[in-house]
Amino acid sequence: MSLNRWPLLGKPRFNAPANYTGVVDNALLTSAAWFTVQYTVLITVLLFVVAFGLALLVQNRRKGVGFFRTAFFLPMAVGFASASLLFLGLLSEEIGPFPGTGDSSALGSAVLLVLWRFAGFNMLILLTGLQAIPLDVYEAARIDGATRWQTFRRITVPMMRPTIALVLTMMTTGSLLAFDQFWILTRGGPDNSTTSLVMVIYREAFIRLDLGSAAGISVVLLVLLAVFSTVQLAVLRRRSA
């Protein structure tokens, strides 16, 4: 499809490599790519910090910890589109308790939604990694007089690196493919300031009705994601070796 001029209705016509050269000349795509990179860096850092903090909070077995583990994970039971609609209602001028908030901080609203929806899921993965660390290692560190910070920095983080590599790769890939939250909450506005890469693909396919152009952008994005994920995993795994 990416090698053809492929309208939504009508016969496709071979036009390679026009769909790929057009990627460079697409001004909206350039601004969307820059916004998506900024959003990815922001949400990956925030989501990782929140998820790791929650995992450390519920790491040890004690009274009531099961309730908090369930409560933190519970937002994952809500579909992402449904969660986006829920936040849209909360920010609505007509019925929401926080009217106008979405207009004044479109990006902030999307970030808050993603943190609420995905922090518990990533907490669960990190918690699994934490619980795989032998307790004997912590006991030996305590006997040697290590502080909590030293234990965290020299034992927890090094032994968690394979799990951290997995979580960071999932977070980064998911952020680069962001669509639902921006399409439902902001429609890419104001002035295309929250238009993501996947939104550009959607617009090319279903608003401009040019499936070939959308497929070309999709292939480029797929290649970039594959390269980035491979490099990211290789670097993180090498550090954990």
Side-chain angles (χ1 to χ4, degrees), residues 43 47 50 54 71-80 82-84 86-87 90 109-121:
I43 199 63
L47 186 56
V50 172
L54 293 178
F72 295 151
F73 182 75
L74 203 56
M76 275 300 296
V78 182
F80 197 24
S82 301
S84 300
L86 172 63
F87 268 65
L90 292 173
S109 303
V111 168
L112 185 61
L113 164 63
V114 172
L115 290 177
W116 176 78
R117 173 64 165 63
F118 289 103
F121 173 74

Side-chain angles (χ1 to χ4, degrees), residues 1 45 60-61 86 88 129 157:
M1 187 178 286
V45 172
N60 299 318
R61 293 185 179 277
L86 172 63
L88 183 63
V157 172

Side-chain angles (χ1 to χ4, degrees), residues 26-40 80 107 110 173-184 186-189 191-204 217 221:
N26 192 324
L28 179 59
L29 183 63
T30 303
S31 65
W34 175 236
F35 165 73
T36 304
V37 170
Q38 291 178 300
Y39 167 77
T40 298
F80 197 24
L107 177 59
T173 304
S175 301
L176 289 172
L177 296 176
F179 175 77
D180 303 59
Q181 61 270 46
F182 295 117
W183 183 255
I184 294 175
T186 71
R187 292 286 174 174
D191 299 324
N192 291 321
S193 62
T194 58
T195 298
S196 67
L197 280 171
V198 178
M199 285 182 69
V200 175
I201 295 172
Y202 179 89
R203 288 179 176 181
E204 289 289 314
I217 300 172
L221 180 58

Side-chain angles (χ1 to χ4, degrees), residues 41-192:
V41 172
L42 175 64
I43 199 63
T44 299
V45 172
L46 290 177
L47 186 56
F48 179 77
V49 170
V50 172
F52 209 165
L54 293 178
L56 291 171
L57 189 64
V58 299
Q59 176 185 7
N60 299 318
R61 293 185 179 277
R62 55 184 182 273
K63 188 176 181 180
V65 75
F67 168 79
F68 286 105
R69 288 178 182 176
T70 304
F72 295 151
F73 182 75
L74 203 56
M76 275 300 296
V78 182
F80 197 24
S82 301
S84 300
L85 288 170
L86 172 63
F87 268 65
L88 183 63
L90 292 173
L91 303 175
S92 169
E93 291 282 357
E94 291 80 16
I95 61 172
F98 309 109
T101 307
D103 296 331
S104 61
S105 181
L107 177 59
S109 303
V111 168
L112 185 61
L113 164 63
V114 172
L115 290 177
W116 176 78
R117 173 64 165 63
F118 289 103
F121 173 74
N122 289 286
M123 173 210 73
L124 191 64
I125 299 175
L126 291 167
L127 182 61
T128 303
L130 284 171
Q131 293 182 335
I133 301 175
L135 294 177
D136 296 346
V137 180
Y138 287 119
E139 289 295 335
R142 254 186 235 108
I143 292 171
D144 290 339
T147 64
R148 287 188 177 183
W149 170 246
Q150 289 173 328
T151 301
F152 176 76
R153 188 165 61 91
R154 297 185 179 277
I155 296 176
T156 304
V157 172
M159 298 190 75
M160 282 280 293
R161 275 186 177 145
T163 307
I164 292 173
L166 170 64
V167 167
L168 287 177
T169 301
M170 291 172 58
M171 288 179 180
T172 304
T173 304
S175 301
L176 289 172
L177 296 176
F179 175 77
D180 303 59
Q181 61 270 46
F182 295 117
W183 183 255
I184 294 175
L185 285 178
T186 71
R187 292 286 174 174
D191 299 324
N192 291 321

